[in-house]
Amino acid sequence: MALYESTPGATYKSIAADLGINRATLREWVLRERDRRGVAPAARAGGAASARAGQPAPSADPDERIRQLEARVAELEASERKLATERDILRKAAKYFAGGDELVNRFQFVHDHRDAFGVKRLCQVLGVNRSSYYKWRDRVDARTARQAADRALAEEIRAVHADSDGAYGSPRITAELRADGRRINEKRVARVMRKFSIQGIRLRRRVRTTTPEPSAIPVPDLFQRDFTAPEPGVKYMGDITYLPVGDGEFLYLATVLDCFSRRVVGWSIAGHMRTELVADALRMAARTRGGLDGSIFHSDHGAQYASREFAKLCSELGMTQSMGAVGTSADNAACESFHASLKRETLQGAHCYPGAELCRRTVFRWLTRYNIRRRHSANGQLSPVDFEHRHQQESARLTLAA
């Protein structure tokens, strides 16, 4: 009766349902208690008060008063039991939700404690819909099967991730799985990688290695930020990057990339940044391709590339030089991105390589792997060598068809 009187907007039906008693019994108790206390029906606002108007005066019979007091005690005891039950539920829930109070966790809590407290009471205390819980419960088999499938997929992803030395993210891992005949969506791969804490290697800060040559002869920009080519051997690009080996010492890597496939056709590592570093890389490219005559070589305005010695080498090889604007890394963005990927995937979060010799071997291994096996987004997730091979096959088919 006290619960009914103190709950704004309460009805006999709702309070009786909470207490597990009959609605008519509760109504009789309330009316008798009001009669005993001489409370007019209008004391409770709203239409319910007017509906109870005209009640008789409270009875002075001692037996009736005792019966009313006993009923009130029973009501208060029921209310106390309800509060104690809710307190126990919330205490258990506080420990259960330590990892995050999500809706799925609430359904699982109801499922795990349904025998002790009942589904209805648990849903009321936790503020969830009973029908939603039952829908969740009925899908438990499908959910268990999906979790098992996710675990199996995570093992496949870990194998590909480990084979890439921890470098691949979801796009390349998806391409690798599809290449093995797996029909899978990249979004699912990304979700499973997040769920099982599998991730690629993130970028590191870049240190500037480009030193302009003030007396250099101006060279036009023949690329205009177009790092694509219709076929191999037409457009090349090059750059220098630093390789930290500890104690403030560095090695320097010069590379030459083919714009068609992003294949590294030439590279050179040394402990200096003199012109011979970039010249050695370009000579290797000439050996790899069997000649560079008629092609374009694009670089930044570093002193090595702007030197007379390098210009002479380009002329001897039959190449035309191209340079981006001074101080604009975007004009050589493809090479910048390549070097960032190299250091990200070989250093793997470390500040430096463990020694110059190991640095050379690590970079050599990565460059070889990059050309032959590493999937490239610009190539439709094919490696540079595979991309060039496919182009040769298509060209041969077109020639035969003609």
Side-chain angles (χ1 to χ4, degrees):
M1 290 183 288
L3 182 63
Y4 174 79
E5 293 288 353
S6 62
T7 305
T11 62
Y12 292 125
K13 182 178 180 181
S14 64
I15 299 300
D18 287 340
L19 299 178
I21 61 176
N22 186 276
R23 173 184 175 280
T25 302
L26 175 62
R27 180 176 182 276
E28 181 182 357
W29 289 350
V30 171
L31 295 180
R32 286 184 179 180
E33 174 61 14
R34 286 182 175 175
D35 289 345
R36 184 189 66 78
R37 291 186 285 121
V39 177
R44 184 174 178 88
S50 60
R52 292 190 293 270
Q55 295 297 328
S59 172
D61 185 358
D63 293 337
E64 179 65 18
R65 292 185 63 183
I66 291 173
R67 189 185 69 78
Q68 291 173 348
L69 289 173
E70 289 176 345
R72 186 175 183 183
V73 168
E75 177 190 352
L76 293 175
E77 288 177 348
S79 178
E80 183 180 0
R81 286 194 299 272
K82 177 186 175 183
L83 293 175
T85 301
E86 293 179 354
R87 179 194 61 203
D88 292 341
I89 292 173
L90 292 175
R91 281 179 177 174
K92 292 179 180 295
K95 298 178 181 179
Y96 199 91
F97 299 149
D101 183 9
E102 299 177 359
L103 183 60
V104 172
N105 289 347
R106 295 189 184 198
F107 288 152
Q108 189 65 54
F109 180 84
V110 172
H111 192 71
D112 293 344
H113 298 82
R114 64 190 186 281
D115 295 333
F117 300 106
V119 172
K120 181 179 179 180
R121 176 57 55 82
L122 287 166
C123 290
Q124 288 175 340
V125 173
L126 298 179
V128 298
N129 191 294
R130 270 192 293 169
S131 61
S132 299
Y133 159 72
Y134 287 124
K135 289 180 181 178
W136 175 89
R137 183 199 63 182
D138 294 341
R139 292 196 294 266
V140 64
D141 292 339
R143 191 165 52 253
T144 301
R146 186 176 67 177
Q147 291 172 352
D150 284 350
R151 286 192 294 270
L153 177 58
E155 292 304 315
E156 296 181 54
I157 291 173
R158 284 196 180 98
V160 175
H161 188 255
D163 192 49
S164 71
D165 292 334
Y168 278 6
S170 58
R172 290 189 175 90
I173 288 179
T174 303
E176 195 74 33
L177 294 173
R178 287 174 178 171
D180 293 338
R182 195 84 147 74
R183 297 184 61 185
I184 195 164
N185 187 287
E186 183 183 333
K187 291 183 178 179
R188 185 186 175 197
V189 172
R191 177 180 62 80
V192 172
M193 290 181 70
R194 286 194 302 270
K195 180 178 179 180
F196 291 90
S197 301
I198 306 171
Q199 61 180 4
I201 305 166
R202 299 184 178 180
L203 286 170
R204 293 172 50 81
R205 290 185 60 187
R206 184 178 64 87
V207 175
R208 184 183 179 192
T209 55
T210 301
T211 306
E213 172 55 57
S215 61
I217 300 174
V219 175
D221 184 356
L222 303 178
F223 271 35
Q224 295 297 318
R225 300 188 183 181
D226 179 10
F227 303 108
T228 61
E231 59 183 3
V234 176
K235 295 166 65 177
Y236 296 95
M237 50 190 171
D239 198 5
I240 302 173
T241 191
Y242 77 102
L243 303 172
V245 293
D247 296 328
E249 296 183 0
F250 299 90
L251 291 179
Y252 299 94
L253 170 69
T255 53
V256 178
L257 278 71
D258 191 307
C259 291
F260 174 75
S261 62
R262 299 298 198 272
R263 180 179 178 181
V264 187
V265 294
W267 68 82
S268 177
I269 301 178
H272 60 79
M273 287 197 299
R274 295 192 293 272
T275 303
E276 60 186 272
L277 173 69
V278 296
D280 287 344
L282 193 61
R283 291 190 185 98
M284 178 181 175
R287 293 192 298 271
T288 301
R289 288 304 195 193
L292 302 174
D293 188 47
S295 61
I296 301 173
F297 179 79
H298 183 81
S299 67
D300 56 28
H301 276 266
Q304 303 85 354
Y305 296 111
S307 67
R308 289 187 177 87
E309 181 184 348
F310 189 76
K312 181 181 177 182
L313 176 61
C314 288
S315 179
E316 292 174 355
L317 295 174
M319 301 189 79
T320 302
Q321 275 192 277
S322 169
M323 288 186 181
V326 177
T328 306
S329 60
D331 287 348
N332 203 23
C335 269
E336 299 276 356
S337 176
F338 167 78
H339 287 153
S341 296
L342 182 151
K343 287 190 282 188
R344 179 180 69 241
E345 296 180 12
T346 54
L347 283 170
Q348 299 193 1
H351 294 291
C352 63
Y353 299 93
E357 187 59 33
L358 185 57
C359 172
R360 290 174 183 271
R361 291 200 300 268
T362 301
V363 171
F364 174 78
R365 174 178 177 270
W366 188 90
L367 291 172
T368 304
R369 179 192 182 89
Y370 172 89
N371 280 339
I372 298 174
R373 295 186 58 191
R374 188 182 184 276
R375 298 181 181 275
H376 202 297
S377 57
N379 297 341
Q381 298 299 357
L382 292 175
S383 70
V385 169
D386 288 341
F387 190 66
E388 289 187 0
H389 182 62
R390 188 178 70 174
H391 173 76
Q392 292 172 356
Q393 291 178 329
E394 291 177 353
S395 299
R397 282 197 299 269
L398 292 175
T399 302
L400 290 174

